[in-house]
Amino acid sequence: MEFSPYDPNLHRDPYPVYRELREKHPAFHNEGLDFYVLSRYPDVAAALRLPETFVSGKGLAVGLPAREAGSESVPLLNVLDGDEHHSLRRFVREGFSPRSIAILEPLIRNVARELIDDLCQQDVPDLVRHFSNPLPTIVISELLGVPITDRERIKDWSNAIMRFDPTTPGNIDPRAGVGPAFELAEYFGAVIEERRVEPRDDLISRLLQRRMAGRQLTKAELVGFGFLLLIGGHETTTNLISNTVILLDDHPSERRRLIDDPALIGNAVEEFLRFDAPVQGLARTTSRAVSIHGRTIPAESKVLLLFASANRDDRFVDEPDRFDVGRKSTAHLSFGLGSHFCLGAALARLEARIAFEELLKHIPDYRLTQRPVQRVKSGPIRGAVRLPIDLGRVASG
Ligand code: HEM
């Protein structure tokens, strides 16, 4: 069997391939790009719970030369390990708890409603361009305090970074994906300097002023964190919304359940995440040899942890390929697990709930008009490039 997350054919429907991996090759090795793949729920969860053995610091993508731990000019929370990771995470996590995030509900709802109004005015309404793409960028820009007028630039940088594919000819140089990252970091550095001179009521200004255990965040740490939020908060949430718009088009009876009982939507978000994860998987590097399923994965190997496959494992849920918005399960791995568990999970959940409360209230009968859907070309991300729709009946109010 062949498997690479960069295979363009995979993006149409990766789930039968994941099933084959789970059933026949639970510790698959891609010889060409030299990485291993874990695809069963218990294995992926166990690896995420062992961050000393499966380390993040040497990069989260497969097919790239190993990065030197700590080689970036700015420290990024998601590729720090051990104490360094723990101490930075403690510093920045305040403000991301479900309770702190809940106060954003009116802002998010207003943005969602305005975007739906705008979507309904379009000659060719596109759910990605007019809704799922701008919503998270506007929300995270507001939260951080970066000017809303810069959001197109941020979106372009974010797309270039997340969709970087090392197997495309010309992309072999790992620095190719770093160019836009560098520009985004530079941009963010300038915003920080502005807030230092003139603080406002935003996350950047609050982080600049925060003191903990006698120290403050360095400028490099702040740049790295802002950078990560702009990237992490954008493509992921956009594609959670896009993937769900497709799922509800494919499953009219599940859509009907949500229209008839909007109180179900909060719980259903967990099923949206489980069934078609926006981040399909991320890699770790082994710090020692690991024996698994009769195979020895040597030290210093790249191991891809397939969250999206784990979520469809019948070792984890019954009837995993059935999309059921009433399913009670939050133990999916779409936000990861353990020490690196997604810091923005509460925000993403809130944005998705509000997005579908508003979409299903205002355009309950929408239909996608372009099949097959054009998928985002990216190793880790599963999503849609565009989703033209027929609005159907538009309900105001
Ligand atoms: C549906 C939307 C989202 C998905 C599917 C998602 C997924 C993930 C995953 C899988 C990880 C774990 C990475 C790892 O284990 O290596 C992660 C980490 C992270 N996410 Fe998210 N994310 C989403 C939204 C957000 C948002 C909205 C933000 C910020 C506003 C955010 C910020 C972060 C940060 C800072 C980390 C790093 C945490 C750490 O390493 O300690 N994410 N996310």
Side-chain angles (χ1 to χ4, degrees):
M1 155 180 212
E2 291 293 317
F3 172 77
S4 162
Y6 303 111
D7 177 355
N9 295 321
L10 185 71
H11 294 285
R12 250 169 262 142
D13 183 6
Y15 294 102
V17 181
Y18 294 163
R19 186 183 313 121
E20 193 179 342
L21 281 172
R22 285 194 304 274
E23 283 170 10
K24 299 193 185 137
H25 309 278
F28 180 81
H29 183 218
N30 178 316
E31 311 234 330
L33 293 173
D34 192 19
F35 64 85
Y36 294 81
V37 183
L38 298 183
S39 47
R40 292 186 181 172
Y41 187 94
D43 300 337
V44 177
L48 289 168
R49 285 197 182 99
L50 284 175
E52 295 86 12
T53 304
F54 292 88
V55 302
S56 295
K58 293 183 177 177
L60 304 178
V62 292
L64 290 177
R67 68 185 274 288
E68 285 294 312
S71 60
E72 264 98 18
S73 51
V74 294
L76 295 177
L77 186 66
N78 60 339
V79 286
L80 291 178
D81 289 303
D83 288 346
E84 241 186 317
H85 171 256
H86 183 69
S87 111
L88 184 58
R89 186 160 167 128
R90 272 189 51 215
F91 218 112
V92 297
R93 73 180 168 202
E94 201 188 298
F96 285 90
S97 67
R99 203 193 300 175
S100 325
I101 289 297
I103 59 169
L104 296 173
E105 174 148 0
L107 165 83
I108 300 173
R109 199 172 293 284
N110 268 342
V111 176
R113 284 183 182 161
E114 278 173 22
L115 289 171
I116 292 173
D117 277 352
D118 179 57
L119 176 84
C120 295
Q121 306 299 318
Q122 301 297 323
D123 292 335
V124 186
D126 173 355
L127 240 147
V128 175
R129 180 163 169 219
H130 301 114
F131 188 77
S132 68
N133 207 327
L135 178 72
T137 325
I138 296 174
V139 171
I140 197 71
S141 303
E142 285 275 338
L143 182 71
L144 276 167
V146 304
I148 209 93
T149 43
D150 291 337
R151 75 168 202 243
E152 279 296 312
R153 286 204 285 165
I154 291 169
K155 190 187 75 190
D156 291 346
W157 282 319
S158 170
N159 286 345
I161 296 161
M162 293 300 271
R163 294 178 191 178
F164 176 64
D165 169 5
T167 61
T168 302
N171 270 0
I172 302 302
D173 180 353
R175 284 167 301 180
V178 173
F182 184 77
E183 286 170 29
L184 177 53
E186 203 163 86
Y187 163 83
F188 199 68
V191 177
I192 290 170
E193 283 315 316
E194 282 172 29
R195 294 297 173 278
R196 199 191 297 282
V197 178
E198 226 174 287
R200 296 189 193 165
D201 181 21
D202 59 32
L203 186 63
I204 301 177
S205 305
R206 280 195 293 280
L207 284 172
L208 271 167
Q209 283 153 15
R210 186 168 300 162
R211 283 190 165 275
M212 209 184 242
R215 80 162 186 111
Q216 284 183 289
L217 284 185
T218 63
K219 179 168 178 197
E221 284 170 332
L222 249 175
V223 169
F225 187 56
F227 171 90
L228 197 59
L229 293 190
L230 288 174
I231 301 292
H234 173 216
E235 280 277 287
T236 50
T237 315
T238 291
N239 287 311
L240 171 59
I241 298 171
S242 299
N243 292 345
T244 305
V245 164
I246 302 168
L247 280 175
L248 296 180
D249 198 50
D250 287 340
H251 297 85
S253 58
E254 295 306 290
R255 190 198 310 196
R256 178 47 53 199
R257 287 174 76 187
L258 299 179
I259 295 169
D260 291 345
D261 184 5
L264 266 184
I265 295 175
N267 177 69
V269 169
E270 301 310 312
E271 180 70 348
F272 306 159
L273 282 155
R274 182 194 74 84
F275 200 80
D276 207 8
V279 182
Q280 297 267 291
L282 290 171
R284 298 291 193 257
T285 308
T286 47
S287 62
R288 58 171 176 83
V290 174
S291 294
I292 185 163
H293 302 301
R295 165 163 246 161
T296 299
I297 301 180
E300 297 302 320
S301 301
K302 274 272 154 64
V303 184
L304 179 62
L305 306 177
L306 276 181
F307 311 143
S309 167
N311 290 344
R312 297 278 197 112
D313 190 347
D314 57 15
R315 293 166 190 81
F316 162 51
V317 278
D318 293 334
E319 295 186 84
D321 292 325
R322 191 164 60 84
F323 176 61
D324 172 2
V325 296
R327 201 188 278 274
K328 298 267 175 287
S329 160
T330 55
H332 59 72
L333 298 180
S334 298
F335 289 126
L337 186 74
S339 55
H340 287 280
F341 182 80
C342 178
L343 197 65
L347 178 58
R349 285 176 162 134
L350 182 63
E351 287 183 60
R353 172 170 66 76
I354 294 172
F356 285 94
E357 283 169 1
E358 295 299 325
L359 282 173
L360 295 179
K361 180 167 163 199
H362 293 284
I363 49 166
D365 305 324
Y366 77 83
R367 297 291 317 170
L368 297 188
T369 56
Q370 201 183 60
R371 295 288 189 153
V373 166
Q374 191 185 345
R375 289 286 173 181
V376 169
K377 195 169 177 297
S378 153
I381 294 285
R382 179 161 165 82
V385 176
R386 62 180 66 86
L387 291 174
I389 55 162
D390 179 334
L391 295 167
R393 165 177 59 96
V394 177
S396 53

